[in-house]
Amino acid sequence: MRIGITCYPTYGGSGIVATELGLELAARGHDVHFITYANPIRLDTGAENIHYHEVEVSSYPLFQYPPYCLALASRMAEVADAYELDLLHVHYAIPHSISALLAQQMLAPRRRLPFITTLHGTDITLVGVDPSYFPITKFSMERSDGITTISEYMRGRTREVFSIANPIRVIRNFVNCRLYKPPAAPCAGEPKLLHVSNFRPVKRVLDCVRILARVRREIPVHLLMAGDGPERVPAERLARELGMSPHVTFLGKQDHVERLFPQARILLMPSELEAFGLAALEAMACGVIPVATNCGGVPELINPGVDGFLEPVGDVESHASRILEVLRDEAKYSAMSQAARQKAETLFDTTKVIPEYEAYYEEILRG
Ligand code: GMT
């Protein structure tokens, strides 16, 4: 198939999923065209069937807000025409779904160009319910030829919030278990806790620092904080206030998190809400135990006490006691770590999930 993929290429989990999906589809022989405003990380594989088409948004003094959505629609139509794309697959509804709809209409006199919208989380839970975006988000979803969500939770929320009648297919996020794998030998030194996110308020990044301080009252551990965003400076400040600065490393944005996960023992994901929780899955593939919150789609991923933990949002004490529990009991740690890896391999590996996307594309193409 010839597939056009659009996403936010540099920021957030939806872009990671879209990029990995494109790479995996290309590895399976499809022709993949990324149509985005920046080159998604890791596209430099040298493969001939992976193409990148940049969307350029020209500014003009009259435009207080340069119309990216329109530039994207034009580029989508152009690329679809020139490379005879079979379909467009957009990740994150706003504004990609609207642009795809416009591109479809531009080509309509000549040919059919179906588009699929994959909903990832905040496009529905936050941005989509903003009154200024609600009607157009609903409209573009109703006009999508196919809609997928990354968890049952998201499917439920989408129906609840938008009351749309279109069928919604759940295709869960995935991980490449050949790339994300446990370390050959356990890492030396203080056990490491790891947090990976875009440091937005929904991630409750400050809780990571509080959990670190609580755990360190009993055993020495070090915290690695990967990513950047609005909560980074407040987290650094809190680390100083709590005397934790020597015990936490702020790494900033990382392109290759698969190299980081195997260094850690525990993943901290204290989020207010996660539609799926990709970082937890990536950790599990590396045999790292996720200590996460019981929210959104996370319970569809983690079986508490078996391959990770689900604790109440904001309950620093319970997160810390779970960490202490497994760090003090090597047999328990090892059993949970193996269960986490096994779940990633058997249910969420790319070899299991990518064929679901292929089958869905074929269904949509059959109309
Ligand atoms: O909030 C983020 O982490 C970014 C956001 C996105 O759409 O870029 O992530 C969402 O999509 C990820 C990949 O499908 C999911 O793993 C995250 O759970 C989801 N984030 C939220 O629901 C807050």
Side-chain angles (χ1 to χ4, degrees):
M1 284 176 266
R2 288 183 288 270
I3 303 152
I5 293 184
T6 294
C7 61
Y8 285 104
T10 54
Y11 195 75
S14 59
I16 295 170
V17 170
T19 310
E20 299 285 352
L21 173 62
L23 295 175
E24 294 289 339
L25 288 166
R28 295 168 74 90
H30 302 286
D31 217 10
V32 177
H33 295 257
F34 285 92
I35 310 168
T36 55
Y37 60 77
N39 203 342
I41 51 166
R42 293 217 215 144
L43 275 201
D44 51 351
T45 61
E48 279 182 12
N49 56 345
I50 301 176
H51 314 259
Y52 165 57
H53 308 273
E54 189 156 308
V55 180
E56 284 186 33
V57 189
S58 46
S59 71
Y60 181 68
L62 194 62
F63 297 159
Q64 191 177 348
Y65 307 104
Y68 171 68
C69 180
L70 302 184
L72 175 61
S74 285
R75 196 81 178 109
M76 282 171 158
E78 238 169 52
V79 173
D81 223 5
Y83 293 87
E84 298 176 13
L85 299 190
D86 293 310
L87 56 82
L88 296 174
H89 185 177
V90 303
H91 294 256
Y92 212 91
I94 302 167
H96 305 145
S97 204
I98 315 298
S99 303
L101 177 58
L102 287 173
Q104 180 182 67
Q105 291 183 352
M106 287 164 76
L107 295 196
R110 292 198 298 289
R111 70 179 187 91
R112 176 171 178 252
L113 178 67
F115 73 97
I116 293 168
T117 304
T118 291
L119 305 169
H120 281 267
T122 49
D123 43 354
I124 298 304
T125 55
L126 291 179
V127 191
V129 293
D130 182 312
S132 53
Y133 296 121
F134 182 89
I136 197 146
T137 309
K138 180 171 158 67
F139 177 68
S140 71
M141 283 192 303
E142 284 170 340
R143 294 299 182 94
S144 296
D145 297 275
I147 304 177
T148 79
T149 58
I150 53 164
S151 60
E152 282 294 346
Y153 164 80
M154 266 303 286
R155 173 155 68 182
R157 283 294 286 154
T158 307
R159 288 217 190 293
E160 203 180 335
V161 172
F162 289 94
S163 4
I164 53 169
N166 312 43
I168 300 176
R169 179 75 53 91
V170 176
I171 304 183
R172 292 198 164 78
N173 283 341
F174 53 86
V175 65
N176 182 335
C177 288
R178 283 156 291 131
L179 191 62
Y180 287 78
K181 52 181 195 279
C187 292
E190 288 183 350
K192 291 192 179 67
L193 315 179
L194 172 66
H195 174 75
V196 181
S197 82
N198 48 24
F199 285 54
R200 285 184 297 159
V202 72
K203 303 292 179 183
R204 295 187 64 96
V205 172
L206 301 191
D207 281 1
C208 296
V209 180
R210 296 188 184 107
I211 293 167
L212 169 73
R214 177 64 192 83
V215 173
R216 274 196 68 88
R217 278 182 9 214
E218 307 199 25
I219 56 176
V221 289
H222 192 87
L223 173 63
L224 297 175
M225 300 285 273
D228 214 329
E231 292 293 284
R232 176 172 171 169
V233 171
E236 287 172 328
R237 193 178 307 130
L238 181 64
R240 280 193 297 277
E241 282 165 16
L242 298 180
M244 287 296 117
S245 296
H247 311 299
V248 51
T249 309
F250 288 87
L251 297 163
K253 282 185 187 163
Q254 299 288 308
D255 282 353
H256 290 280
V257 285
E258 78 280 2
R259 295 175 195 161
L260 267 183
F261 282 108
Q263 297 176 30
R265 299 278 282 166
I266 303 283
L267 176 86
L268 300 183
M269 201 173 73
S271 308
E272 184 85 38
L273 184 63
E274 286 291 343
F276 181 88
L278 182 63
L281 173 59
E282 292 171 337
M284 289 164 79
C286 297
V288 176
I289 297 176
V291 177
T293 37
N294 191 358
C295 66
V298 189
E300 296 171 44
L301 173 64
I302 295 175
N303 187 355
V306 175
D307 46 33
F309 292 105
L310 295 176
E311 302 305 315
V313 174
D315 189 343
V316 168
E317 196 59 41
S318 75
H319 284 70
S321 66
R322 292 308 193 182
I323 294 166
L324 290 165
E325 183 184 327
V326 281
L327 289 185
R328 283 176 169 148
D329 182 345
E330 192 49 46
K332 180 161 192 175
Y333 184 92
S334 167
M336 289 185 70
S337 161
Q338 282 171 34
R341 167 74 188 177
Q342 197 184 3
K343 183 182 268 183
E345 277 178 325
T346 51
L347 297 179
F348 296 99
D349 186 48
T350 45
T351 52
K352 306 281 185 309
V353 180
I354 305 302
E356 290 184 45
Y357 274 113
E358 290 175 308
Y360 189 61
Y361 291 167
E362 275 157 17
E363 262 177 57
I364 298 299
L365 286 177
R366 282 196 298 270

